[in-house]
Coordinates of all heavy atoms in Angstrom, one line a residue:
M889 N 0.9 -1.2 0.0 CA 0.0 0.0 0.0 C 0.9 1.3 0.0 O 1.8 1.4 0.8 CB -0.9 0.0 1.3 CG -2.1 0.8 1.1 SD -3.0 1.0 2.7 CE -3.7 -0.6 3.0
N890 N 0.7 2.2 -1.0 CA 1.5 3.4 -0.9 C 1.0 4.4 0.1 O -0.1 4.1 0.7 CB 1.7 4.0 -2.3 CG 0.4 4.5 -2.8 OD1 -0.4 5.0 -2.1 ND2 0.2 4.4 -4.1
R891 N 1.7 5.4 0.3 CA 1.4 6.3 1.4 C 0.0 7.0 1.2 O -0.8 7.1 2.1 CB 2.4 7.4 1.5 CG 2.4 8.1 2.8 CD 3.8 8.7 3.2 NE 3.5 9.6 4.2 CZ 3.4 10.9 4.0 NH1 3.5 11.4 2.8 NH2 3.1 11.7 5.0
L892 N -0.3 7.4 -0.1 CA -1.6 8.0 -0.3 C -2.7 7.1 -0.1 O -3.8 7.5 0.5 CB -1.6 8.5 -1.8 CG -2.9 9.3 -2.2 CD1 -3.0 10.5 -1.3 CD2 -2.8 9.7 -3.7
T893 N -2.6 5.8 -0.5 CA -3.7 4.9 -0.3 C -3.9 4.7 1.2 O -5.0 4.6 1.6 CB -3.3 3.5 -0.9 OG1 -2.7 3.7 -2.2 CG2 -4.5 2.6 -1.0
L894 N -2.8 4.7 2.0 CA -2.9 4.5 3.4 C -3.7 5.7 4.0 O -4.6 5.5 4.8 CB -1.5 4.4 4.0 CG -1.5 4.2 5.5 CD1 -2.2 2.9 5.9 CD2 -0.1 4.2 6.1
I895 N -3.3 6.9 3.6 CA -4.0 8.1 4.1 C -5.5 8.0 3.8 O -6.4 8.3 4.6 CB -3.4 9.4 3.6 CG1 -2.0 9.5 4.2 CG2 -4.2 10.6 3.9 CD1 -1.1 10.6 3.5
L896 N -5.8 7.6 2.5 CA -7.2 7.6 2.1 C -8.0 6.5 2.9 O -9.1 6.7 3.3 CB -7.3 7.3 0.6 CG -6.9 8.4 -0.3 CD1 -6.9 8.0 -1.8 CD2 -7.7 9.6 -0.1
A897 N -7.3 5.4 3.2 CA -7.9 4.3 3.9 C -8.2 4.8 5.3 O -9.3 4.5 5.9 CB -7.0 3.1 3.9
L898 N -7.3 5.5 5.9 CA -7.5 6.0 7.3 C -8.6 7.0 7.3 O -9.5 7.0 8.2 CB -6.2 6.6 7.8 CG -5.1 5.7 8.2 CD1 -3.9 6.4 8.6 CD2 -5.6 4.8 9.4
A899 N -8.6 7.9 6.3 CA -9.7 8.9 6.3 C -11.1 8.3 6.2 O -12.0 8.9 6.6 CB -9.4 9.9 5.2
A900 N -11.1 7.2 5.5 CA -12.5 6.6 5.3 C -12.9 5.7 6.5 O -14.0 5.2 6.5 CB -12.4 5.7 4.0
T901 N -12.1 5.6 7.5 CA -12.4 4.8 8.7 C -12.9 5.7 9.8 O -12.1 6.4 10.4 CB -11.2 4.0 9.2 OG1 -10.6 3.3 8.1 CG2 -11.5 3.0 10.2
P902 N -14.2 5.7 10.0 CA -14.8 6.7 11.0 C -14.0 6.7 12.3 O -13.8 7.7 12.9 CB -16.2 6.3 11.2 CG -16.5 5.4 10.0 CD -15.2 4.8 9.5
A903 N -13.7 5.5 12.9 CA -13.1 5.4 14.2 C -11.8 6.1 14.3 O -11.3 6.5 15.3 CB -13.1 4.0 14.7
L904 N -11.1 6.2 13.1 CA -9.7 6.7 13.1 C -9.7 8.2 12.6 O -8.7 8.9 12.9 CB -8.8 5.9 12.3 CG -8.6 4.4 12.8 CD1 -7.7 3.6 11.8 CD2 -7.9 4.5 14.2
A905 N -10.7 8.6 11.9 CA -10.7 10.0 11.4 C -11.0 10.9 12.6 O -11.6 10.6 13.6 CB -11.8 10.1 10.4
D906 N -10.4 12.1 12.4 CA -10.7 13.2 13.4 C -12.2 13.6 13.3 O -12.8 13.5 12.2 CB -9.9 14.4 13.1 CG -8.5 14.3 13.7 OD1 -8.3 13.5 14.6 OD2 -7.6 15.1 13.2
P907 N -12.8 13.9 14.5 CA -14.2 14.4 14.4 C -14.4 15.5 13.4 O -13.5 16.4 13.3 CB -14.5 14.8 15.8 CG -13.5 14.1 16.7 CD -12.3 13.9 15.8
D908 N -15.4 15.4 12.6 CA -15.6 16.4 11.5 C -16.8 17.4 12.0 O -17.9 17.0 12.0 CB -16.0 15.7 10.3 CG -16.5 16.7 9.2 OD1 -16.6 17.9 9.4 OD2 -16.8 16.2 8.1
P909 N -16.4 18.5 12.6 CA -17.4 19.4 13.2 C -18.6 19.7 12.3 O -19.7 19.7 12.9 CB -16.6 20.7 13.5 CG -15.2 20.3 13.6 CD -15.1 19.2 12.6
K910 N -18.4 19.9 11.0 CA -19.6 20.2 10.2 C -20.5 19.1 10.1 O -21.8 19.3 10.3 CB -19.1 20.6 8.8 CG -19.4 22.0 8.4 CD -18.8 22.3 7.0 CE -20.0 22.4 6.0 NZ -19.4 22.4 4.6
A911 N -20.0 17.9 9.9 CA -20.9 16.7 9.8 C -21.6 16.4 11.1 O -22.7 16.0 11.2 CB -20.0 15.5 9.3
L912 N -20.8 16.6 12.2 CA -21.4 16.3 13.5 C -22.5 17.3 13.9 O -23.5 16.9 14.5 CB -20.3 16.2 14.6 CG -19.3 15.0 14.4 CD1 -18.2 15.1 15.5 CD2 -20.1 13.7 14.5
K913 N -22.3 18.6 13.6 CA -23.3 19.6 13.9 C -24.6 19.3 13.1 O -25.7 19.4 13.6 CB -22.8 21.0 13.5 CG -21.9 21.6 14.5 CD -21.6 23.1 14.1 CE -20.4 23.6 14.9 NZ -20.1 25.0 14.6
R914 N -24.4 18.8 11.8 CA -25.5 18.4 11.0 C -26.2 17.3 11.7 O -27.5 17.2 11.8 CB -25.1 18.1 9.6 CG -26.2 18.2 8.6 CD -25.8 17.9 7.2 NE -24.5 18.4 6.8 CZ -23.5 17.6 6.4 NH1 -23.7 16.3 6.3 NH2 -22.3 18.1 6.1
L915 N -25.5 16.3 12.1 CA -26.1 15.1 12.8 C -26.9 15.5 14.0 O -28.0 15.0 14.2 CB -25.0 14.1 13.1 CG -25.5 12.8 13.9 CD1 -25.0 11.6 13.2 CD2 -25.1 12.8 15.3
V916 N -26.3 16.4 14.8 CA -27.0 16.8 16.1 C -28.3 17.5 15.7 O -29.3 17.2 16.3 CB -26.1 17.8 16.9 CG1 -26.9 18.4 18.0 CG2 -24.9 17.0 17.5
R917 N -28.2 18.4 14.7 CA -29.5 19.1 14.3 C -30.5 18.2 13.7 O -31.7 18.3 14.1 CB -29.1 20.2 13.3 CG -29.5 21.6 14.0 CD -29.0 22.8 13.2 NE -28.0 23.4 14.0 CZ -27.0 24.2 13.4 NH1 -26.9 24.3 12.1 NH2 -26.1 24.8 14.2
Q918 N -30.1 17.3 12.8 CA -31.1 16.5 12.1 C -31.5 15.3 12.9 O -32.6 15.0 13.1 CB -30.5 16.1 10.7 CG -30.4 17.3 9.8 CD -29.9 17.0 8.4 OE1 -29.6 15.8 8.2 NE2 -29.8 17.9 7.6
D919 N -30.5 14.5 13.3 CA -30.8 13.2 14.0 C -31.2 13.4 15.4 O -32.3 12.9 15.8 CB -29.6 12.2 13.8 CG -29.4 11.9 12.4 OD1 -28.9 12.7 11.6 OD2 -29.7 10.7 12.0
C920 N -30.4 14.1 16.2 CA -30.8 14.3 17.6 C -32.0 15.2 17.6 O -33.0 15.0 18.4 CB -29.7 15.0 18.4 SG -28.0 14.2 18.1
G921 N -32.0 16.2 16.7 CA -33.1 17.2 16.6 C -34.5 16.5 16.3 O -35.5 17.0 16.6
S922 N -34.4 15.3 15.6 CA -35.7 14.7 15.2 C -36.5 14.3 16.5 O -37.7 14.2 16.5 CB -35.5 13.5 14.3 OG -34.8 12.5 15.0
C923 N -35.8 14.0 17.6 CA -36.5 13.7 18.9 C -36.4 14.9 19.9 O -37.3 15.1 20.6 CB -35.9 12.5 19.5 SG -36.4 10.9 18.7
H924 N -35.2 15.6 19.9 CA -35.0 16.6 20.9 C -35.4 18.0 20.4 O -35.2 19.0 21.2 CB -33.5 16.6 21.4 CG -33.2 15.3 22.1 ND1 -33.4 15.2 23.5 CD2 -32.6 14.2 21.7 CE1 -33.0 14.0 23.9 NE2 -32.5 13.3 22.8
G925 N -36.0 18.1 19.2 CA -36.4 19.4 18.7 C -35.3 20.0 17.9 O -34.1 19.9 18.3
M926 N -35.6 20.7 16.8 CA -34.6 21.4 15.9 C -33.7 22.2 16.7 O -32.5 22.3 16.4 CB -35.4 22.3 14.9 CG -36.0 21.5 13.8 SD -34.7 21.0 12.6 CE -34.4 22.5 11.8
T927 N -34.1 22.9 17.8 CA -33.3 23.8 18.5 C -32.9 23.1 19.8 O -32.3 23.8 20.7 CB -34.0 25.1 18.8 OG1 -35.2 24.8 19.5 CG2 -34.3 25.9 17.6
L928 N -33.1 21.8 19.9 CA -32.7 21.0 21.1 C -33.4 21.3 22.4 O -33.0 20.9 23.4 CB -31.2 21.0 21.3 CG -30.3 20.7 20.0 CD1 -28.8 20.8 20.4 CD2 -30.7 19.3 19.5
K929 N -34.5 22.1 22.3 CA -35.2 22.5 23.5 C -36.2 21.5 23.9 O -37.0 21.7 24.9 CB -35.7 23.9 23.5 CG -36.8 24.2 22.5 CD -37.2 25.7 22.7 CE -38.5 26.0 22.1 NZ -38.6 26.3 20.7
G930 N -36.3 20.4 23.3 CA -37.2 19.3 23.7 C -38.3 19.0 22.7 O -38.7 19.9 21.9
G931 N -38.7 17.7 22.7 CA -39.7 17.2 21.8 C -40.2 15.9 22.4 O -40.5 15.9 23.6
L932 N -40.0 14.8 21.7 CA -40.2 13.5 22.3 C -39.1 13.3 23.4 O -39.4 12.8 24.5 CB -40.0 12.4 21.2 CG -39.9 11.0 21.7 CD1 -41.2 10.5 22.4 CD2 -39.5 10.0 20.6
G933 N -37.9 13.7 23.1 CA -36.8 13.7 24.1 C -36.7 15.0 24.8 O -37.3 16.0 24.3
P934 N -36.1 15.1 26.0 CA -36.0 16.3 26.8 C -35.1 17.4 26.2 O -34.4 17.1 25.2 CB -35.4 15.8 28.1 CG -34.6 14.6 27.8 CD -35.3 13.9 26.6
D935 N -35.2 18.5 26.7 CA -34.3 19.7 26.4 C -32.9 19.2 26.6 O -32.5 18.7 27.7 CB -34.7 20.8 27.4 CG -34.0 22.1 27.1 OD1 -32.9 22.1 26.6 OD2 -34.6 23.2 27.5
I936 N -32.0 19.4 25.6 CA -30.6 19.0 25.8 C -29.7 20.2 25.5 O -28.6 20.1 25.0 CB -30.1 17.8 25.0 CG1 -30.5 17.9 23.5 CG2 -30.7 16.5 25.5 CD1 -29.9 16.9 22.6
R937 N -30.2 21.4 25.9 CA -29.4 22.6 25.8 C -28.5 22.7 27.0 O -28.7 22.0 28.0 CB -30.3 23.9 25.7 CG -31.0 24.0 24.3 CD -32.0 25.1 24.2 NE -33.0 25.0 25.2 CZ -34.0 25.9 25.4 NH1 -34.0 27.0 24.7 NH2 -34.9 25.7 26.3
P938 N -27.4 23.5 26.9 CA -26.4 23.5 28.0 C -27.0 23.6 29.4 O -26.5 22.8 30.3 CB -25.5 24.7 27.7 CG -25.7 24.9 26.2 CD -27.1 24.4 25.8
A939 N -27.9 24.4 29.7 CA -28.4 24.6 31.0 C -29.0 23.3 31.6 O -28.9 23.0 32.7 CB -29.4 25.8 31.1
S940 N -29.7 22.6 30.7 CA -30.3 21.3 31.1 C -29.3 20.2 31.3 O -29.7 19.2 32.0 CB -31.3 20.9 30.0 OG -32.2 21.9 29.7
L941 N -28.2 20.3 30.8 CA -27.2 19.2 30.9 C -26.0 19.6 31.8 O -25.1 18.8 32.0 CB -26.6 18.9 29.5 CG -27.6 18.4 28.4 CD1 -26.8 18.2 27.1 CD2 -28.2 17.1 28.9
A942 N -26.2 20.7 32.5 CA -25.1 21.2 33.4 C -24.7 20.2 34.4 O -23.5 20.2 34.9 CB -25.5 22.5 34.0
H943 N -25.6 19.3 34.9 CA -25.2 18.3 35.9 C -24.4 17.2 35.3 O -23.9 16.3 36.1 CB -26.5 17.8 36.6 CG -27.5 17.1 35.6 ND1 -28.2 17.8 34.7 CD2 -27.7 15.8 35.4 CE1 -28.9 16.9 34.0 NE2 -28.7 15.7 34.4
Y944 N -24.3 17.1 34.0 CA -23.5 16.0 33.4 C -22.0 16.3 33.4 O -21.6 17.4 33.1 CB -23.9 15.7 32.0 CG -25.1 14.8 31.8 CD1 -26.3 15.2 31.5 CD2 -24.9 13.4 31.9 CE1 -27.4 14.4 31.3 CE2 -25.9 12.5 31.7 CZ -27.2 13.0 31.4 OH -28.2 12.1 31.3
R945 N -21.2 15.2 33.7 CA -19.8 15.3 33.4 C -19.6 14.9 32.0 O -20.4 14.1 31.4 CB -19.0 14.4 34.3 CG -18.9 14.8 35.8 CD -18.1 13.9 36.6 NE -18.3 12.5 36.2 CZ -17.3 11.7 36.0 NH1 -16.0 12.0 36.3 NH2 -17.5 10.4 35.5
R946 N -18.6 15.4 31.3 CA -18.4 15.2 29.9 C -18.4 13.7 29.6 O -19.0 13.2 28.6 CB -17.0 15.8 29.5 CG -16.6 15.6 28.1 CD -15.3 16.2 27.8 NE -14.9 16.2 26.4 CZ -13.9 15.5 25.9 NH1 -13.2 14.8 26.7 NH2 -13.7 15.6 24.6
D947 N -17.7 12.9 30.5 CA -17.6 11.5 30.2 C -18.9 10.8 30.3 O -19.2 9.8 29.5 CB -16.6 10.8 31.2 CG -15.2 11.2 30.9 OD1 -14.9 11.9 29.9 OD2 -14.3 10.8 31.7
D948 N -19.7 11.2 31.3 CA -21.0 10.5 31.4 C -21.9 10.9 30.2 O -22.7 10.0 29.7 CB -21.7 11.0 32.7 CG -21.0 10.5 33.9 OD1 -20.3 9.5 33.8 OD2 -21.0 11.2 35.0
L949 N -21.8 12.1 29.8 CA -22.6 12.5 28.6 C -22.2 11.7 27.4 O -23.0 11.3 26.6 CB -22.4 14.0 28.4 CG -23.5 14.7 27.5 CD1 -24.9 14.4 27.9 CD2 -23.2 16.2 27.5
T950 N -20.9 11.6 27.2 CA -20.3 10.8 26.1 C -20.9 9.4 26.1 O -21.3 8.8 25.1 CB -18.8 10.7 26.2 OG1 -18.3 12.1 26.1 CG2 -18.2 10.0 25.0
D951 N -21.0 8.8 27.3 CA -21.6 7.4 27.5 C -23.0 7.4 27.1 O -23.5 6.4 26.5 CB -21.4 6.9 28.9 CG -19.9 6.5 29.2 OD1 -19.1 6.4 28.2 OD2 -19.5 6.4 30.4
V952 N -23.8 8.4 27.5 CA -25.2 8.4 27.2 C -25.4 8.5 25.7 O -26.2 7.8 25.1 CB -25.9 9.7 27.8 CG1 -27.3 9.9 27.2 CG2 -26.0 9.5 29.3
I953 N -24.5 9.2 25.0 CA -24.6 9.3 23.5 C -24.2 8.0 22.9 O -24.9 7.5 22.0 CB -23.7 10.5 23.0 CG1 -24.3 11.8 23.5 CG2 -23.7 10.5 21.5 CD1 -23.3 13.0 23.3
L954 N -23.2 7.3 23.4 CA -22.7 6.1 22.8 C -23.7 4.9 23.1 O -23.9 4.1 22.2 CB -21.3 5.7 23.3 CG -20.2 6.5 22.8 CD1 -18.9 6.2 23.5 CD2 -20.0 6.3 21.2
D955 N -24.2 4.9 24.3 CA -25.0 3.7 24.7 C -26.5 3.9 24.8 O -27.2 3.0 25.0 CB -24.5 3.2 26.1 CG -23.1 2.8 26.1 OD1 -22.7 2.2 25.1 OD2 -22.3 3.0 27.1
G956 N -26.9 5.2 24.7 CA -28.3 5.5 24.8 C -28.8 5.3 26.2 O -28.0 5.1 27.1
L957 N -30.1 5.4 26.4 CA -30.7 5.1 27.7 C -31.6 4.0 27.6 O -32.7 4.1 27.1 CB -31.4 6.4 28.2 CG -30.5 7.6 28.5 CD1 -31.3 8.9 28.7 CD2 -29.6 7.4 29.8
P958 N -31.1 2.8 28.0 CA -31.9 1.5 27.8 C -33.3 1.7 28.4 O -33.4 2.3 29.5 CB -31.1 0.5 28.5 CG -29.7 1.0 28.5 CD -29.8 2.5 28.6
G959 N -34.3 1.1 27.8 CA -35.6 1.2 28.3 C -36.3 2.5 27.9 O -37.5 2.7 28.3
T960 N -35.7 3.4 27.2 CA -36.3 4.6 26.7 C -36.0 4.7 25.2 O -35.2 3.9 24.7 CB -35.6 5.9 27.4 OG1 -34.4 6.2 26.7 CG2 -35.3 5.7 28.8
P961 N -36.7 5.6 24.5 CA -36.5 5.7 23.1 C -35.1 6.3 22.7 O -34.7 6.3 21.5 CB -37.6 6.7 22.6 CG -38.6 6.8 23.7 CD -37.8 6.5 25.0
M962 N -34.3 6.7 23.7 CA -33.0 7.3 23.4 C -32.1 6.2 22.9 O -31.7 5.3 23.7 CB -32.4 8.0 24.7 CG -31.0 8.4 24.5 SD -30.7 9.7 23.2 CE -28.9 9.8 23.2
P963 N -31.7 6.2 21.6 CA -31.0 5.1 21.0 C -29.5 5.2 21.3 O -29.0 6.3 21.5 CB -31.3 5.2 19.5 CG -31.5 6.7 19.3 CD -32.0 7.3 20.6
P964 N -28.8 4.0 21.2 CA -27.3 4.1 21.3 C -26.7 4.5 19.9 O -27.3 4.2 18.9 CB -26.9 2.6 21.5 CG -28.1 1.8 21.1 CD -29.3 2.7 21.1
W965 N -25.7 5.4 19.9 CA -25.1 5.9 18.7 C -23.8 5.2 18.4 O -23.1 5.6 17.4 CB -25.0 7.4 18.8 CG -26.3 8.0 18.8 CD1 -27.1 8.2 19.9 CD2 -27.1 8.5 17.7 NE1 -28.3 8.8 19.6 CE2 -28.3 8.9 18.2 CE3 -26.9 8.5 16.3 CZ2 -29.4 9.4 17.4 CZ3 -27.9 9.0 15.5 CH2 -29.1 9.5 16.0
R966 N -23.4 4.3 19.2 CA -22.1 3.6 19.0 C -21.9 3.0 17.6 O -20.8 3.1 17.1 CB -22.0 2.5 20.1 CG -20.5 2.0 20.3 CD -20.5 0.9 21.4 NE -20.7 1.4 22.7 CZ -19.8 1.9 23.5 NH1 -18.6 2.2 23.0 NH2 -20.0 2.3 24.7
P967 N -23.0 2.5 17.0 CA -22.8 2.0 15.6 C -22.4 3.1 14.6 O -21.9 2.8 13.6 CB -24.2 1.4 15.3 CG -24.9 1.2 16.6 CD -24.4 2.3 17.5
L968 N -22.8 4.3 14.9 CA -22.6 5.4 14.0 C -21.4 6.3 14.3 O -20.9 7.0 13.5 CB -23.8 6.2 13.8 CG -25.0 5.5 13.2 CD1 -26.2 6.4 13.2 CD2 -24.7 5.1 11.8
L969 N -21.1 6.4 15.6 CA -20.1 7.4 16.1 C -18.9 6.8 16.8 O -19.1 5.8 17.5 CB -20.8 8.4 17.1 CG -21.9 9.2 16.5 CD1 -22.6 10.0 17.7 CD2 -21.4 10.2 15.5
S970 N -17.7 7.3 16.5 CA -16.6 6.9 17.3 C -16.7 7.6 18.7 O -17.5 8.5 18.9 CB -15.3 7.3 16.6 OG -15.2 8.7 16.7
K971 N -15.8 7.1 19.6 CA -15.8 7.7 21.0 C -15.4 9.2 20.9 O -16.0 10.0 21.6 CB -14.8 6.9 21.9 CG -15.0 7.3 23.3 CD -14.2 6.2 24.2 CE -14.7 6.2 25.6 NZ -14.5 7.4 26.4
D972 N -14.4 9.5 20.0 CA -14.0 10.9 19.8 C -15.1 11.7 19.3 O -15.3 12.9 19.7 CB -12.8 11.0 18.8 CG -11.5 10.5 19.5 OD1 -11.5 10.3 20.7 OD2 -10.5 10.4 18.8
E973 N -15.9 11.2 18.4 CA -17.0 11.9 17.9 C -18.1 12.2 18.9 O -18.7 13.3 19.0 CB -17.6 11.2 16.6 CG -16.7 11.3 15.4 CD -17.1 10.4 14.3 OE1 -17.8 9.3 14.5 OE2 -16.8 10.8 13.1
A974 N -18.4 11.1 19.7 CA -19.4 11.3 20.8 C -18.9 12.3 21.8 O -19.7 13.1 22.3 CB -19.7 9.9 21.5
A975 N -17.6 12.3 22.1 CA -17.0 13.2 23.1 C -17.1 14.7 22.5 O -17.4 15.6 23.2 CB -15.6 12.9 23.4
W976 N -16.9 14.8 21.2 CA -17.0 16.1 20.5 C -18.5 16.6 20.7 O -18.7 17.8 21.0 CB -16.7 16.0 19.0 CG -16.6 17.3 18.4 CD1 -15.5 18.1 18.2 CD2 -17.7 18.1 17.8 NE1 -15.8 19.3 17.6 CE2 -17.2 19.3 17.4 CE3 -19.1 17.8 17.7 CZ2 -18.0 20.3 16.8 CZ3 -19.9 18.8 17.1 CH2 -19.3 20.0 16.7
I977 N -19.4 15.7 20.5 CA -20.8 16.1 20.6 C -21.1 16.5 22.1 O -21.9 17.5 22.3 CB -21.8 15.0 20.1 CG1 -21.6 14.9 18.6 CG2 -23.2 15.3 20.4 CD1 -22.5 13.7 18.0
A978 N -20.6 15.7 23.0 CA -20.8 16.0 24.4 C -20.3 17.5 24.7 O -21.0 18.3 25.3 CB -20.1 15.0 25.3
D979 N -19.1 17.8 24.3 CA -18.6 19.2 24.4 C -19.5 20.2 23.8 O -19.8 21.2 24.3 CB -17.2 19.3 23.8 CG -16.1 18.6 24.7 OD1 -16.4 18.5 25.9 OD2 -15.0 18.3 24.2
Y980 N -19.9 19.9 22.6 CA -20.7 20.8 21.8 C -22.0 21.1 22.5 O -22.5 22.2 22.6 CB -21.0 20.1 20.4 CG -21.9 20.9 19.5 CD1 -21.5 22.1 19.0 CD2 -23.1 20.3 19.0 CE1 -22.3 22.8 18.1 CE2 -23.9 20.9 18.1 CZ -23.5 22.2 17.6 OH -24.3 22.9 16.7
L981 N -22.6 20.0 23.1 CA -23.9 20.2 23.8 C -23.7 21.0 25.1 O -24.5 21.8 25.5 CB -24.5 18.8 24.1 CG -25.1 18.0 22.9 CD1 -25.6 16.7 23.4 CD2 -26.1 18.8 22.2
L982 N -22.6 20.7 25.8 CA -22.3 21.3 27.1 C -22.0 22.8 26.9 O -22.3 23.6 27.7 CB -21.2 20.6 27.8 CG -21.5 19.3 28.4 CD1 -20.3 18.6 28.9 CD2 -22.6 19.4 29.5
E983 N -21.3 23.1 25.8 CA -20.9 24.5 25.6 C -21.9 25.3 24.8 O -21.9 26.5 24.9 CB -19.5 24.5 24.8 CG -18.4 24.2 25.7 CD -17.1 23.7 24.9 OE1 -17.0 24.1 23.7 OE2 -16.3 23.1 25.5
G984 N -22.8 24.6 24.1 CA -23.8 25.3 23.3 C -23.1 25.8 22.0 O -21.9 25.8 21.8
D985 N -24.0 26.1 21.0 CA -23.5 26.6 19.7 C -23.3 28.1 19.7 O -24.3 28.8 19.9 CB -24.5 26.1 18.6 CG -23.8 26.2 17.2 OD1 -22.9 27.0 17.0 OD2 -24.3 25.4 16.4
P986 N -22.1 28.6 19.5 CA -21.9 30.0 19.5 C -22.6 30.7 18.4 O -22.8 31.9 18.5 CB -20.3 30.1 19.4 CG -19.9 28.8 18.9 CD -20.9 27.8 19.3
E987 N -22.9 30.0 17.3 CA -23.5 30.7 16.2 C -24.9 31.2 16.5 O -25.7 30.6 17.1 CB -23.7 29.7 15.0 CG -22.5 29.4 14.3 CD -22.6 28.1 13.4 OE1 -23.7 27.8 13.0 OE2 -21.6 27.4 13.3
Ligands
HEC1172 C1 -35.6 8.3 18.8 C2 -35.6 9.5 19.5 C3 -34.2 10.1 20.0 C4 -33.1 10.4 19.3 C5 -32.9 10.2 17.7 C6 -32.2 10.9 20.2 N1 -32.7 10.9 21.5 FE1 -31.7 11.6 23.1 N2 -33.3 11.0 24.3 C7 -34.5 10.6 23.8 C8 -35.4 10.4 24.9 C9 -36.9 9.9 24.8 C10 -34.7 10.7 26.1 C11 -35.2 10.6 27.5 C12 -35.0 9.3 28.0 C13 -35.6 9.2 29.5 O1 -36.8 8.9 29.6 O2 -34.8 9.5 30.4 C14 -33.4 11.1 25.6 C15 -32.4 11.5 26.5 C16 -31.2 12.1 26.1 C17 -30.2 12.6 27.0 C18 -30.3 12.7 28.5 C19 -31.0 14.0 28.9 C20 -31.0 14.2 30.4 O3 -31.6 15.2 30.8 O4 -30.6 13.3 31.1 C21 -29.2 13.1 26.2 C22 -27.9 13.8 26.7 C23 -29.5 12.9 24.9 N3 -30.8 12.2 24.8 C24 -28.8 13.2 23.8 C25 -29.0 12.9 22.5 C26 -28.1 13.1 21.4 C27 -26.8 13.8 21.5 C28 -28.7 12.6 20.3 C29 -28.1 12.5 18.9 C30 -26.8 11.9 18.7 C31 -30.0 12.0 20.7 N4 -30.1 12.2 22.0 C32 -30.9 11.4 19.8 C33 -34.8 10.3 22.4 C34 -33.9 10.4 21.4

């Protein structure tokens, strides 16, 4: 495998790629938003804006995103997200979107 092929192979592997903020923001708005509301202030799922999540530590929030909340409609995202990506989303939710 030459160097370029290796780089392309790594880039195509979600677990090894760096979190892509643009793609993750879109996922939060569209996928999380489908239950938590477009502006994340609640729908089928509860408000997940920063003030509502203030009691969470970053690691616990990352676990909720990766594993979901069993027995509730909150699904696990482990099949779709790497740990780094889930941690990125946890930070994003805790800090809020500056835009
Ligand atoms: C199919 C609907 C659905 C989707 C999609 C969904 N959630 Fe949830 N989520 C829920 C529900 C319902 C709950 C509340 C579970 C309960 O009863 O405690 C919840 C709970 C949560 C909580 C805990 C809130 C708290 O106050 O403890 C967090 C954090 C959360 N979701 C984040 C996310 C993120 C981030 C995404 C996208 C990656 C997402 N959710 C996608 C339905 C969903």
